[in-house]
Amino acid sequence: MFLMEVKLHEFEKVYGDANKAAEARRQYLEKVTGVKLENIGRTIIDLNTVVGRNIENVIGAVQIPVGVAGPLLVRGDYANGYFYVPLATTEGALVASVNRGAKFVTESGGARVKVLKDGMARAPLFRVPSLIDAVELVEWVTGHFEELKKVAESTTRFGKLKDIQHFIVGNYVWLRLVFSTGDAMGMNMVTIASEAVAKFIQENFPKAKLIALSGNMCVDKKANAVNFILGRGKTVVAEAVIKKEILERLGITPEDVHNVNVRKNLIGSALAHSYGFNAHFANIIAAIFIATGQDVAQVVESSMGITSTEAREDGLYISVFLPSLEVGTVGGGTGLPTQREALELLGVAGSGNPPGVNALKFAEIIAAAVLAGELNLLIALARNELASAHKKLGRGAR
Ligand SMILES: CC(C)(COP(=O)([O-])OP(=O)([O-])OC[C@H]1O[C@@H](n2cnc3c(N)ncnc32)[C@H](O)[C@@H]1OP(=O)([O-])[O-])[C@@H](O)C(=O)NCCC(=O)NCCSC(=O)C[C@@](C)(O)CC(=O)[O-]
Ligand SMILES: NC(=O)C1=CN([C@@H]2O[C@H](COP(=O)(O)OP(=O)(O)OC[C@H]3O[C@@H](n4cnc5c(N)ncnc54)[C@H](OP(=O)(O)O)[C@@H]3O)[C@@H](O)[C@H]2O)C=CC1
C-alpha cells in the first residue's frame, strides 16, 4: 500500500472541488489496485452537491436500471388518480410482475388507501441509579411533556413532538420520542431534536445519564416487533376487490389465490417466525426506495407487514398492511437529479402544501404498488408461473 501525505478523505480540501477530488481518488485507486473505474466515474451528479450531505470519500456513482409499473389507479386521501410507479431493480420479471398487478387492480376500480398513523421515532437510553429512580424519571418526563416538546421543536421548523413512549428494564429507561416530520422521512431531524431533549433531561433530572442517543427501541434498520405494533414512519393500509372475471380469464378462482395467501403468507410465515406475513413487500419497497432516493437500509422494517385476503362472491378481496413505512419527499437522497425526477413522475417531489401532504401521498402510492405486486405474485403462484417467468425474463439469452 502506498503511503500518502494527504488522506483520501481530505482530497476535497486540496482540490477545492468534489468532482476533481473524486477523479484524483479514482486515479489513486486505479494505481494501487490496477482496476479501471471509468464507469463508476461517469455520472451526471455534480459531486459538489452530495459531498457533506449524502456521501464521503466519493469516487463516482453506480447506475441501476429503472422501469415503470402502471397506470395504477390509487384512491387515497392524498393520492387520487392514475400513477406510473418507478421501480429501480436488476431483478428481471419484477417490473412485469408489479405492472400486471397494477393492471388487475386498475381494471377492478383501483386501490383504496389510508394512512392510519404517522410518526418517526428516536429512543434515547438513560441510566439511573435504581428502579425507583427509573419510575421517577418516567413520571418527571410525563409531567414535563410540554417543556420537552418546546425544547425538541426549537431545533426544527417542521418536526413536532407528538408522544413519548417509555420502557423500563431495571435501572435503564428508554424514551421513545415520536415526531411528525412534515415531508421528511425525518431521521436526521428527530435525532437532532432528541439530542436537545436528552440534554435538557440530564440538566434538569441529574440522576439520569444518557447511555446512547439511539437505544434501539426506535427501531431503525433492524427487523423488530416494536414498529410492527406501535408503528414508525407511516402506518398504511391498501385494499382492493379484484374482479372474479379477471381471475377466471387467468384460469383461477378467488379461492385459489386466497388459499395460497393463507397457506404461504400466514401459515408459512408463522412456521418461519417471519416478520413478513407477505410474499414480497421488500421487492416493491426496495425498488421504489432506490428510484426515489429513500434510505435503502430502512427497507428492513418498511417491508414488514401482512397481506390478507377473502374469497368473495364478486371476486378476491385483498389488503396489505404496512406498519412502518419510512419515506420522505425532501431530505436524504430525494434531491439527487434522477431520484427527484422519479418523485416528480409521481407528483410528490419536494415540500407539500401544506408541508407533509407530499410524503403522505407518496406513502399511499407505495402501499397501492405493494398491493399490486403482492396480488400478482399470489396469482403467479396459484398459476405456477414463477419459475417459467424468471426463466424467460430473469436470465436473458444463454
Ligand atoms: C412475468 C409475468 C407478469 C408474465 O405474465 P403473463 O400473463 O404471461 O404475461 P403477458 O405477456 O400475458 O402479459 C400480461 C400483463 O403482464 C404485464 N407484463 C408482461 N410482460 C411484461 C414486460 N416484459 N414488461 C412489462 N409488463 C409486462 C403487462 O401488464 C401485461 O399486460 P398488457 O400490458 O400486455 O396488457 C408473470 O408470469 C409473473 O408475474 N410471474 C411472477 C414473477 C414475480 O412475481 N416475481 C416477483 C419476484 S419473486 C421474489 O423475488 C420473491 C420471492 C418469490 O422469493 C418471495 C417468496 O418467497 O414468495
Ligand atoms: N441521523 C441519524 O441518526 C440517521 C440519519 N439517516 C439519514 O437521514 C437522512 C434523512 O433525514 P431527514 O431528517 O429526513 O432529512 P434531512 O436532514 O436531509 O432533511 C430534512 C430537513 O429538511 C428541512 N425541510 C424543508 N422542507 C421540509 C418539509 N416540507 N418537511 C420537512 N422538512 C423539511 C427540515 O429542516 P428543519 O428541521 O431545519 O426545519 C428537515 O429537518 C437520510 O440521508 C438518512 O440516510 C438515517 C438514519 C439515521
Side-chain angles (χ1 to χ4, degrees):
M1 209 40 53
F2 292 73
L3 279 177
M4 291 197 306
E5 279 173 30
V6 181
K7 292 177 187 159
L8 272 190
H9 66 82
E10 291 172 339
F11 280 20
E12 273 79 7
K13 278 192 215 149
V14 176
Y15 291 91
D17 176 87
N19 297 305
K20 288 190 183 135
E23 192 183 338
R25 236 178 247 124
R26 283 197 303 277
Q27 282 169 2
Y28 171 78
L29 290 176
E30 287 179 350
K31 199 159 140 197
V32 295
T33 65
V35 175
K36 281 262 157 259
L37 297 172
E38 55 188 335
N39 290 322
I40 286 182
R42 221 176 278 149
T43 172
I44 58 153
I45 301 171
D46 174 357
L47 299 176
N48 290 301
T49 64
V50 292
V51 169
R53 181 185 292 266
N54 300 103
I55 189 90
E56 302 80 36
N57 251 354
V58 65
I59 58 170
V62 295
Q63 293 190 26
I64 297 160
V66 60
V68 287
L72 171 62
L73 178 56
V74 184
R75 294 185 293 132
D77 294 326
Y78 303 90
N80 222 314
Y82 294 89
F83 296 90
Y84 287 93
V85 182
L87 298 158
T89 184
T90 53
E91 182 179 12
L94 178 59
V95 176
S97 172
V98 184
N99 201 31
R100 189 175 71 166
K103 176 175 130 155
F104 298 154
V105 168
T106 301
E107 280 174 4
S108 301
R112 182 174 299 288
V113 193
K114 288 262 176 213
V115 177
L116 304 180
K117 246 192 245 176
D118 184 8
M120 178 47 68
R122 181 50 102 201
L125 159 61
F126 298 88
R127 182 188 177 279
V128 286
S130 71
L131 169 63
I132 304 300
D133 300 307
V135 173
E136 203 186 304
L137 171 59
V138 166
E139 283 168 1
W140 185 89
V141 164
T142 309
H144 290 77
F145 180 80
E146 287 308 322
E147 262 170 276
L148 295 172
K149 183 171 163 63
K150 219 180 263 172
V151 169
E153 295 175 9
S154 70
T155 65
T156 167
R157 291 160 297 164
F158 296 89
K160 304 285 169 231
L161 182 64
K162 291 167 67 171
D163 193 13
I164 303 182
Q165 299 154 348
H166 42 82
F167 304 86
I168 297 175
V169 176
N171 60 330
Y172 295 105
V173 179
W174 285 257
L175 297 175
R176 191 170 186 268
L177 311 176
V178 183
F179 295 80
S180 62
T181 57
D183 290 303
M185 176 274 283
M187 260 285 73
N188 277 338
M189 179 200 284
V190 310
T191 302
I192 293 163
S194 298
E195 185 184 45
V197 169
K199 184 164 175 274
F200 185 84
I201 289 175
Q202 291 178 104
E203 283 166 1
N204 293 281
F205 192 95
K207 279 185 279 183
K209 175 126 193 41
L210 182 71
I211 298 293
L213 188 54
S214 167
N216 267 15
M217 277 293 284
C218 315
V219 177
D220 197 39
K221 304 178 179 175
K222 270 88 61 182
N224 69 93
V226 176
N227 297 9
F228 212 121
I229 295 165
L230 298 181
R232 188 173 194 251
K234 276 51 173 172
T235 299
V236 200
V237 176
E239 67 172 10
V241 179
I242 307 306
K243 289 180 183 159
K244 203 173 186 170
E245 310 87 84
I246 293 175
L247 300 174
E248 283 171 352
R249 221 162 62 206
L250 299 167
I252 52 173
T253 63
E255 286 79 12
D256 292 335
V257 183
H258 174 64
N259 285 339
V260 172
N261 186 52
V262 170
R263 288 157 195 173
K264 168 192 170 63
N265 286 343
L266 305 186
I267 303 175
S269 297
L271 179 63
H273 285 228
S274 169
Y275 281 115
F277 289 82
N278 63 70
H280 69 150
F281 283 17
N283 260 339
I284 299 97
I285 304 272
I288 297 177
F289 272 30
I290 296 168
T292 60
Q294 308 303 306
D295 186 329
V296 181
Q298 290 181 328
V299 170
V300 177
E301 62 270 18
S302 291
S303 59
M304 298 189 300
I306 303 171
T307 298
S308 92
T309 48
E310 287 176 13
R312 293 186 178 173
E313 270 297 293
D314 53 343
L316 173 80
Y317 173 87
I318 178 165
S319 79
V320 293
F321 164 65
L322 294 100
S324 180
L325 180 62
E326 296 151 345
V327 292
T329 62
V330 302
T334 61
L336 297 178
T338 52
Q339 287 83 335
R340 190 172 173 93
E341 255 174 41
L343 288 167
E344 280 167 358
L345 187 64
L346 298 173
V348 297
S351 281
N353 184 17
V357 297
N358 272 3
L360 290 164
K361 180 176 173 185
F362 185 35
E364 289 182 346
I365 298 168
I366 296 175
V370 167
L371 181 79
E374 201 64 8
L375 168 71
N376 185 67
L377 181 50
L378 290 174
I379 289 174
L381 289 166
R383 298 179 79 208
N384 194 22
E385 58 182 355
L386 182 64
S388 60
H390 283 258
K391 227 189 265 175
K392 189 170 146 213
L393 291 172
R395 306 187 86 184
R398 292 189 156 241

